[in-house]
Amino acid sequence: MATESLTSDVELAITGMTCASCANRIERKLNKLDGVTATVNYATEKAKVSYPGTVSTDDLLRTVEAAGYAAALPTPPSADDGPGDPVEHDPLLQRLLVSAVLSVPVVAMAMVPAWQFTYWQWASLALAAPVVVWGALPFHRAAWTNLRHGATTMDTLVSVGVLAAFGWSLWALFLGTAGEPGMTHPFRIAIDRTDGAGNIYLEAAAGVTTFILAGRWLEHRSKRRAGAALRALLELGARDVAVLRDGAEVRIPVDQLAVGDEFVVRPGEKVATDGEVVEGSSAVDASMLTGESVPVEVRPGDAVVGATVNAGGRLVVRATRVGADTQLAQMARLVEDAQNGKAEVQRLADRVSGIFVPIVIGLSVATLGFWLGAGEGATAAFTAAVAVLIIACPCALGLATPTALMVGTGRGAQLGILIKGPEVLESTRHVDTIVLDKTGTVTTGEMTVHDVVAAEGESADDVRRVAAALESASEHPIGRAIAAVEGPLPAVEDFANREGLGVQGVVEGRAVVVGRPSLLADWAQHLPPSLVAAVERAQGEGRTAVAVGWDGRARGVIVVGDTVKPTSAQAVAALRELGLTPVLLTGDNEAAARHVAAQVGIDTVVADVLPADKVAEVQRLQAAGKVVAMVGDGVNDAAALAQADLGLSMGTGTDVAIEAGDLTLVRGDLLVAVDAIRLSRRTLGTIKGNLFWAFAYNVAALPLAAAGLLNPMLAGAAMAFSSVFVVTNSLRLRGFRSSIA
């Protein structure tokens, strides 16, 4: 039974949030409950709650509902979830498309007098009414929820402005002179006082709704990807497994596997779950999970991790951990925790709205009261009051973020950079530390031959050719690297694999042994001092030395290892120029990490780390006051990418890393990371410039509206100019140039 001293954790799915202030409101409400600690993430639409035994989950759900939103307990993930997501019905997109189709002719008729045929105003009403009522329904709903809780957001301003413009247009059409046959809005730039009886604002009501819906849809599309990293992690594991039952293999779904079951892993298959090898030996490629570039040799008694790939022989494994206890499941939880714990970045427009919206509404009421008190008549007073609301309605604000984002992301895609959403950009401004994964990020992540050292009197070409011939029969990743030579190779006879040591066979009539120096020693082929020095030098650089011998004597050493990408050193220098301090973080060994760091110019190295340690290292840097960007490509980087203030994932890496990152670098070149940060900062600067001018236009026009000097055509022209300026300013991003020659 739960007691007051024990707390439980639950993750609630929240629906109905429209901006970051909604998340803040829910968080405050939940935290008011005794003993409850809650964090609400607007991006993932989840609330992570710790609650005592005195509080039930029903209490939590009721609290969220009392705040005006809906909440539900989590449902267990299913393997069937996900494939249907891409074709999921998108009501917001449908609302946007219908609103856009109806709004375009309304705006066109209002702005071009030549198109204002007889009764055009009634046609505009018929087209605009569905947009205002149905298209803007999410804003009206949110505004009503905010009103009930005494709060205002951009939704409040959009709803009030749209309804004010539409309501006044209805009054002018039915009770004023705007509905008379042949009525037109002449295009003239003049500031004079009008009673508004002949003015309609339908283009403002419909246009604003469509613009804001476009911005909302772009934001919604990026938010839907928030859970994709977890789905990708869960899909990494094996689907079914060959279990040994009474000596026979029986294939069962992996979720039916129990601790103690023995199962078979053939070459090329994924290990179904965490376990211990009981039979066979092989090389296991664990680079996805550990970041270690060299495959791990396993034999009976060694532990293996689920989702790693068997690169060599047949293994029989006894399951030691299944389901939620496996390392893969723990990594999924790490990614989820990091996403939920990420600091919430509120949209700039929403931040300002907390102050701007109440001021505008107050100014509108004050304007109405002033003109009524001045004896100007109800019509003129209402015209001025409504003009204040209409001119303050954020038409250009609806374009400020999405247009810059569309142009910036479009230019980024041309350069191999995928930006996931507007909230990503704010992080790039303040980043001062960049953590780089080694394998696959700074280096190629592929095993290649770096050097061939021949013993005295031997030819290096002959050593490589004979070793390549023998290794061509091997499935081992190191063997495949050695065998990667051009031209035909001699035939191999009597090939045999020695468990975890190497291979042997007959090539051109010579008994050849290739593998660890200890394997050659078993054949009394001891390495001379020159080859011992080559082995020690290779190990000091974090590389693997493979000895080659035949006919009773050691003939040479082949050095195999990862390779630094040719542009990595240039990229590190460019990152420093952007004001970032590089840190090399890797699951690989210290020697290999130090060698790579020296080649590319990185001073700080953190090596031999597990995935959880990578998260801890990012958290340690953040606790020290650093704003951290992380570049990685493997499953082992996913949680750290999510934890970092800015995650940059290599598109050449795993799907999990790509989904967990904020920016994806399609080309897998570290120089693209430099471009990504430069482009993101430039795009953010453009968004801020757009927002400034959009607000500046509103603020500058408010006094004219309050004075009753703003006629509808002048308001429409000013609004159009504001929007055109924002779009033109955004289009400047198309001129962004890459730093890659």
Side-chain angles (χ1 to χ4, degrees):
M1 294 293 290
T3 65
E4 289 188 40
S5 60
L6 296 176
T7 60
S8 304
D9 293 325
V10 70
E11 195 170 66
L12 304 178
I14 309 290
T15 53
M17 293 190 292
T18 59
C19 62
S21 56
C22 298
N24 293 336
R25 188 177 310 128
I26 297 169
E27 197 171 290
R28 286 198 304 271
K29 292 279 188 183
L30 287 171
N31 285 326
K32 283 181 181 176
L33 296 173
D34 284 340
V36 171
T37 305
T39 55
V40 180
N41 190 318
Y42 170 55
T44 59
E45 297 185 328
K46 289 180 179 178
K48 191 170 185 182
V49 187
S50 294
Y51 61 99
T54 53
V55 176
S56 68
T57 53
D58 288 341
D59 295 331
L60 301 176
L61 297 177
R62 278 194 295 271
T63 302
V64 175
E65 287 165 9
Y69 306 90
L73 292 171
T75 54
S78 165
D80 297 331
D81 295 342
D85 292 347
V87 293
E88 179 188 2
H89 178 62
D90 189 349
L92 187 57
L93 178 60
Q94 183 185 49
R95 203 179 292 268
L96 168 62
L97 293 176
V98 173
S99 297
V101 169
L102 295 175
S103 298
V104 168
V106 176
V107 175
M109 285 188 289
M111 302 306 294
V112 184
W115 294 349
Q116 293 172 3
F117 55 88
T118 307
Y119 298 118
W120 70 274
Q121 67 273 43
W122 296 102
S124 292
L125 176 63
L127 292 169
V131 179
V132 171
V133 177
W134 176 76
L137 188 60
F139 309 123
H140 302 325
R141 244 193 234 121
W144 175 245
T145 300
N146 294 329
L147 181 64
R148 282 167 43 213
H149 294 91
T152 57
T153 63
M154 287 311 297
D155 290 318
T156 310
L157 191 54
V158 172
S159 178
V160 169
V162 166
L163 290 177
F166 187 68
W168 185 262
S169 300
L170 289 178
W171 183 91
L173 285 168
F174 287 100
L175 301 176
T177 59
E180 295 175 357
M183 186 279 286
T184 59
H185 273 178
F187 191 90
R188 60 190 177 89
I189 304 299
I191 296 178
D192 53 20
R193 189 166 300 150
T194 172
D195 68 359
N199 299 336
I200 59 172
Y201 298 90
L202 293 171
E203 79 284 359
V208 166
T209 299
T210 302
F211 285 140
I212 306 295
L213 279 173
R216 269 308 145 79
W217 178 73
L218 284 169
E219 182 184 48
H220 177 67
R221 189 177 62 169
S222 67
K223 271 172 52 184
R224 274 187 312 191
R225 300 174 66 96
L230 302 178
R231 285 199 299 275
L233 261 176
L234 295 172
E235 287 166 8
L236 266 183
R239 294 287 184 194
D240 53 20
V241 57
V243 179
L244 291 176
R245 298 273 165 86
D246 299 324
E249 292 184 23
V250 180
R251 292 207 83 83
I252 63 170
V254 74
D255 56 6
Q256 294 180 15
L257 201 60
V259 172
D261 283 347
E262 293 186 359
F263 59 93
V264 176
V265 189
R266 291 185 174 81
E269 286 187 340
K270 291 177 181 176
V271 179
T273 192
D274 298 1
E276 181 182 306
V277 177
V278 294
E279 184 183 316
S281 64
S282 178
V284 174
D285 182 1
S287 59
M288 284 196 312
L289 289 170
T290 65
E292 179 68 49
S293 54
V294 181
V296 180
E297 303 281 353
V298 295
R299 59 189 70 188
D302 289 343
V304 288
V305 177
T308 55
V309 179
N310 178 13
R314 177 181 183 272
L315 294 175
V316 177
V317 179
R318 181 186 298 112
T320 55
R321 289 187 294 186
V322 296
D325 296 326
T326 63
Q327 187 170 331
L328 185 66
Q330 289 168 2
M331 287 176 61
R333 283 197 294 276
L334 277 173
V335 172
E336 191 165 21
D337 289 346
Q339 285 185 336
N340 283 335
K342 188 179 284 189
E344 188 58 53
V345 182
Q346 293 184 3
R347 289 181 61 188
L348 290 173
D350 278 321
R351 276 190 211 158
V352 179
S353 69
I355 303 168
F356 186 65
V357 176
I359 290 175
V360 167
I361 293 173
L363 183 59
S364 176
V365 173
T367 300
L368 176 65
F370 175 81
W371 288 117
L372 284 174
E376 285 291 329
T379 304
F382 275 106
T383 300
V386 172
V388 168
L389 291 174
I390 291 169
I391 204 66
C393 198
C395 180
L397 281 178
L399 287 170
T401 297
T403 53
L405 195 65
M406 281 191 289
V407 178
T409 53
R411 182 61 184 140
Q414 292 175 338
L415 300 174
I417 304 160
L418 303 181
I419 303 172
K420 289 198 178 171
E423 65 280 356
V424 171
L425 304 175
E426 290 202 18
S427 304
T428 63
R429 174 76 70 183
H430 308 292
V431 166
D432 55 22
T433 303
I434 186 159
V435 175
L436 306 174
D437 171 54
K438 181 183 78 69
T439 309
T441 301
V442 177
T443 67
T444 62
E446 297 174 0
M447 304 297 285
T448 54
V449 173
H450 285 262
D451 195 13
V452 179
V453 181
E456 189 175 346
E458 300 293 337
S459 160
D461 291 340
D462 202 26
V463 169
R464 175 72 189 273
R465 188 177 66 86
V466 171
L470 186 59
E471 290 285 15
S472 65
S474 169
E475 289 297 317
H476 197 288
I478 292 178
R480 287 198 295 268
I482 294 173
V485 295
E486 295 181 1
L489 293 171
V492 180
E493 301 172 18
D494 299 330
F495 176 84
N497 180 35
R498 294 291 301 277
E499 296 179 2
L501 295 173
V503 292
Q504 62 191 57
V506 178
V507 179
E508 296 178 330
R510 294 180 280 198
V512 183
V513 182
V514 179
R516 297 178 186 270
S518 58
L519 177 61
L520 271 69
D522 291 344
W523 288 77
Q525 298 180 12
H526 299 285
L527 271 58
S530 62
L531 295 186
V532 170
V535 171
E536 290 174 349
R537 186 166 60 250
Q539 290 172 342
E541 294 174 351
R543 292 173 175 157
T544 301
V546 179
V548 182
W550 62 77
D551 294 343
R553 205 155 62 83
R555 308 285 177 161
V557 166
I558 299 176
V559 179
V560 179
D562 207 352
T563 308
V564 173
K565 291 179 182 177
T567 57
S568 291
Q570 181 187 347
V572 169
L575 289 168
R576 287 188 187 278
E577 287 177 14
L578 289 173
L580 308 179
T581 302
V583 176
L584 190 67
L585 183 66
T586 178
D588 219 337
N589 65 73
E590 181 86 16
R594 291 282 175 195
H595 182 69
V596 168
Q599 287 180 272
V600 298
I602 297 176
D603 302 323
T604 309
V605 177
V606 182
D608 292 312
V609 289
L610 296 173
D613 298 328
K614 288 193 173 188
V615 177
E617 181 61 23
V618 171
Q619 289 172 333
R620 186 189 66 77
L621 289 167
Q622 289 170 329
K626 306 292 185 185
V627 182
V628 181
M630 166 84 188
V631 188
D633 74 322
V635 174
N636 60 308
D637 303 317
L641 285 166
Q643 175 63 42
D645 299 286
L646 178 69
L648 298 94
S649 54
M650 291 289 189
T652 50
T654 63
D655 290 343
V656 183
I658 290 169
E659 296 296 354
D662 301 309
L663 293 161
T664 300
L665 315 178
V666 175
R667 293 168 59 179
D669 187 331
L670 199 54
L671 269 177
V672 183
V674 178
D675 284 342
I677 291 173
R678 286 178 52 237
L679 177 61
S680 296
R681 288 180 175 179
R682 177 100 168 263
T683 306
L684 177 63
T686 301
I687 290 174
K688 285 185 171 180
N690 287 348
L691 290 171
F692 170 79
W693 286 111
F695 271 117
Y697 146 77
N698 284 335
V699 171
L702 278 173
L704 291 176
L709 300 175
L710 208 58
N711 68 56
M713 286 313 297
L714 187 60
M719 196 173 278
F721 174 77
S722 176
S723 300
V724 168
F725 174 83
V726 162
V727 173
T728 307
N729 191 41
S730 298
L731 288 173
R732 292 170 56 236
L733 286 167
R734 292 168 65 181
F736 178 84
R737 292 283 173 264
S738 170
S739 56
I740 302 174

